[in-house]
Amino acid sequence: MSPIMYERLWEAFLDTLVMVGASGLIALVAGIPLAVLLVLTSPGGVLEAPRFNRIAGGLVNAFRATPFIVLLVALIPLTRLITGTTIGIWAAVVPLSISATPFFARIAEVSLREVEHGLIEAAQAMGCRRWHIVRHVLLPEALPGIIGGFTITLVSMIGASAMAGAVGAGGLGDLAIRYGYQRFDTTVMIAVIVVLIALVSVVQFAGDWWVRRLRAR
């Protein structure tokens, strides 16, 4: 590849990092409270509310069942309203976040449900408030599973960000489509694939390392 193409590859890599990083942060901040609500309001939960739980669970399932490329197109009006544009990396953050949040929330919910109920009952017997139970029992006990689930979410978002590049979102996907596919440049396509594999490997390794360290404590 030419020096110019190397520069474009580097810029596309940074764009992908920004897209995935910003969307991942939003999914983390929104997904954990959503997962906690789904667990607390479930039958037998600390804040049992079956109707709310069914509605929230239905909405989460609806977004999870929608393919990302369909969601990307369906959210164009909302994307334009929030960012003022439908192209570029910040426009991609909106559908990426909305797609990743329910996905991560369900994974985090599974980890929270695996916390032994006896620990929650012991905390209640000690007079702990609901917020204290969440903060000092549920989240610490489920943290390794949550981190592992967030790692899976980030890996999925890297693939989704490449898909978003096909519709002008920028990043590695956009580079692969415009210069690899449309211009029949196999070298660019291979370079993008190698970078994506390396990025996914680094994210997965970091996540697995963090989970092992938490479980060792």
Side-chain angles (χ1 to χ4, degrees):
M1 290 192 304
S2 65
I4 295 178
M5 192 55 64
Y6 276 112
E7 184 178 347
R8 286 173 177 164
L9 180 63
W10 175 249
E11 291 176 354
F13 173 71
L14 293 179
D15 287 346
T16 296
L17 286 184
V18 171
M19 276 192 290
V20 175
S23 304
L25 181 61
I26 294 172
L28 181 67
V29 171
I32 290 179
L34 179 57
V36 170
L37 273 177
L38 288 172
V39 171
L40 295 183
T41 59
S42 62
V46 178
L47 294 172
E48 186 173 356
R51 181 174 297 180
F52 173 84
N53 188 268
R54 285 194 298 270
I55 294 174
L59 289 174
V60 168
N61 291 337
F63 279 103
R64 284 183 62 211
T66 306
F68 176 71
I69 193 67
V70 175
L71 192 64
L72 182 67
V73 175
L75 291 175
I76 285 178
L78 178 63
T79 300
R80 184 183 291 112
L81 178 65
I82 294 175
T83 65
T85 182
T86 57
I87 59 174
I89 58 175
W90 293 110
V93 168
V94 176
L96 276 172
S97 303
I98 294 176
S99 175
T101 297
F103 178 81
F104 171 59
R106 278 302 189 193
I107 297 178
E109 179 191 3
V110 172
S111 298
L112 289 167
R113 289 189 186 280
E114 290 178 349
V115 176
E116 293 185 15
H117 195 67
L119 294 174
I120 300 175
E121 291 178 344
Q124 289 176 320
M126 293 172 61
C128 292
R129 296 182 179 179
R130 294 163 180 169
W131 166 244
H132 290 121
I133 293 174
V134 172
R135 182 179 177 183
H136 298 292
V137 179
L138 279 176
L139 290 178
E141 291 294 323
L143 189 56
I146 292 174
I147 297 300
F150 185 61
T151 302
I152 296 173
T153 303
L154 285 178
V155 170
S156 300
M157 291 174 68
I158 291 172
S161 70
M163 191 185 305
V167 292
L172 291 168
D174 179 61
L175 183 69
I177 292 295
R178 285 197 294 132
Y179 293 95
Y181 176 72
Q182 294 178 351
R183 300 188 183 186
F184 304 101
D185 193 333
T186 306
T187 304
V188 173
M189 188 70 74
I190 293 174
V192 170
I193 292 173
V194 169
V195 172
L196 285 172
I197 291 174
L199 181 57
V200 167
S201 299
V202 170
V203 170
Q204 190 66 56
F205 175 81
D208 291 344
W209 175 83
W210 197 357
V211 169
R212 286 196 302 269
R213 201 168 171 194
L214 287 171
R215 286 178 175 169
R217 291 182 177 178

